[in-house]
Amino acid sequence: MLCYLFSEVTNLKDEIVKTFIHVSLLSLLKNSSSQDRGWGCIADNMLPKKEQLKEKNVFRNLLSKVNQIAGDIELSVKDIRRQALTRDDISKLAANSDVRHAEIDKKSIDCIITSPPYPNMTDYITSQRLNYYYLNADPDKEKFNETGARFKRNRLDSNERYKIEMMSINHHLYDLMKPNGYLCLILPEFGIEIQRDQNRKKIIADIIENLEDIGFVKRDIFERILPSMRRSHNQKWASLEKEKIYIYQKSKL
């Protein structure tokens, strides 16, 4: 079904419609090609197990995505009109960039919401490799710059490297945020039964401590229990039962 859709979209004449369908297809490639309800096989770049293959209704999924994206566009257009944004303003609404190198003015952001990479748990770029292939792009050109990538886990300095990179990101987030601005981030809550998790738990604690050292003030913490289904389909997540949502505020200087 995906192959049929790929061939049909290339025949579309209206470039706006073609772009709209391209975006819709990109948003469902991973889940429509995954085993059962998990996508660990895609992130690990391996074939799924035969007994875990599950037929996906790609046409129904595409229709759902088309309706969802159309609704999002409608809401965005209303918001653009309400705020009387110019074309130049709109061009700044989204950017694909490393925050450490982004062209954003310091002290210009009111709120940052982020779920940063977890240490050595997932190859996030590889998990999106189907999208890269669809766009005729090479994921290998970017994955070596990925923070906390799982394929780096056997390197002797992988944990320390992850901590250094995350602390650097903390500083950049602080510099970009306005005084009294808010930071919301989700981080894993590792257990202590496994030595590997003990090490990663210490790293996360160091990263949190660093946030407070540079001037963020902790305002609240919420605990989130991970669904057992999500963990059962990805062995690397089996020992991770909880995540924490941290709310920080930049101190007013």
Side-chain angles (χ1 to χ4, degrees):
M1 287 189 283
L2 279 174
C3 292
Y4 171 77
L5 290 172
F6 294 161
S7 63
E8 288 299 304
V9 74
T10 59
N11 296 324
L12 293 173
K13 304 300 182 184
D14 189 312
E15 289 301 320
I16 294 178
V17 173
K18 182 183 288 189
T19 299
F20 182 84
I21 299 299
H22 276 316
V23 173
S24 301
L25 282 171
L26 285 167
S27 68
L28 62 81
L29 273 181
K30 183 177 70 176
N31 288 337
S32 293
S33 304
S34 62
Q35 65 185 23
D36 204 30
R37 275 180 280 179
W39 47 266
C41 60
I42 298 175
D44 290 340
N45 198 11
M46 59 184 290
L47 292 173
K49 297 176 181 178
K50 186 176 180 179
E51 65 272 15
Q52 291 182 312
L53 287 173
K54 183 178 180 180
E55 188 71 22
K56 307 291 178 71
N57 190 324
V58 178
F59 295 126
R60 185 179 63 192
N61 292 347
L62 177 62
L63 180 60
S64 175
K65 287 295 182 183
V66 165
N67 289 330
Q68 177 185 338
I69 295 172
D72 290 342
I73 291 175
E74 184 178 1
L75 290 174
S76 297
V77 169
K78 289 180 180 178
D79 199 41
I80 288 169
R81 289 173 177 169
R82 180 179 60 82
Q83 298 185 55
L85 298 177
T86 65
R87 183 177 294 273
D88 185 56
D89 293 327
I90 296 171
S91 69
K92 298 176 182 177
L93 290 179
N96 179 15
S97 178
D98 186 322
V99 70
R100 292 167 292 184
H101 311 298
E103 296 181 359
I104 302 174
D105 294 336
K106 292 185 176 182
K107 298 181 180 180
S108 65
I109 297 178
D110 295 288
C111 180
I112 297 173
I113 302 173
T114 178
S115 176
Y118 293 0
N120 303 331
M121 293 194 68
T122 299
D123 292 320
Y124 293 96
I125 289 178
T126 305
S127 75
Q128 300 296 329
R129 61 191 172 88
L130 299 181
N131 290 26
Y132 278 85
Y133 299 155
Y134 184 80
L135 295 169
N136 197 28
D138 183 3
D140 288 342
K141 290 184 178 180
E142 295 186 29
K143 76 175 190 177
F144 291 101
N145 294 322
E146 185 178 341
T147 297
R150 185 171 183 267
F151 76 89
K152 300 177 182 179
R153 65 190 182 282
N154 292 325
R155 299 179 183 179
L156 294 178
D157 65 341
S158 64
N159 287 337
E160 187 63 23
R161 191 74 245 160
Y162 171 80
K163 185 169 73 172
I164 291 172
E165 291 181 14
M166 286 296 296
M167 287 183 176
S168 173
I169 291 170
N170 286 350
H171 281 271
H172 281 83
L173 296 180
Y174 185 86
D175 289 341
L176 295 175
M177 185 169 288
K178 293 179 182 178
N180 288 334
Y182 282 91
L183 169 66
C184 171
L185 72 164
I186 304 172
L187 289 170
E189 177 67 10
F190 293 107
I192 57 174
E193 292 80 11
I194 305 173
Q195 181 62 47
R196 177 191 61 198
D197 285 349
Q198 291 178 21
N199 296 336
R200 293 193 289 198
K201 187 179 183 71
K202 174 65 167 59
I203 290 170
I204 296 300
D206 290 344
I207 292 169
I208 290 297
E209 183 179 354
N210 175 252
L211 282 171
E212 298 172 15
D213 288 343
I214 62 180
F216 280 109
V217 179
K218 188 183 297 180
R219 294 304 185 195
D220 216 333
I221 303 177
F222 303 92
E223 191 171 82
R224 178 172 182 262
I225 307 298
L226 292 179
S228 58
M229 180 63 72
R230 174 180 167 185
R231 293 185 286 115
S232 66
H233 284 284
N234 194 332
Q235 187 176 5
K236 302 181 292 295
W237 290 71
S239 63
L240 182 63
E241 298 182 355
K242 302 176 183 177
E243 294 171 324
K244 284 188 175 180
I245 303 172
Y246 296 86
I247 307 296
Y248 283 90
Q249 186 175 22
K250 180 176 178 177
S251 57
K252 187 174 182 179
L253 301 178

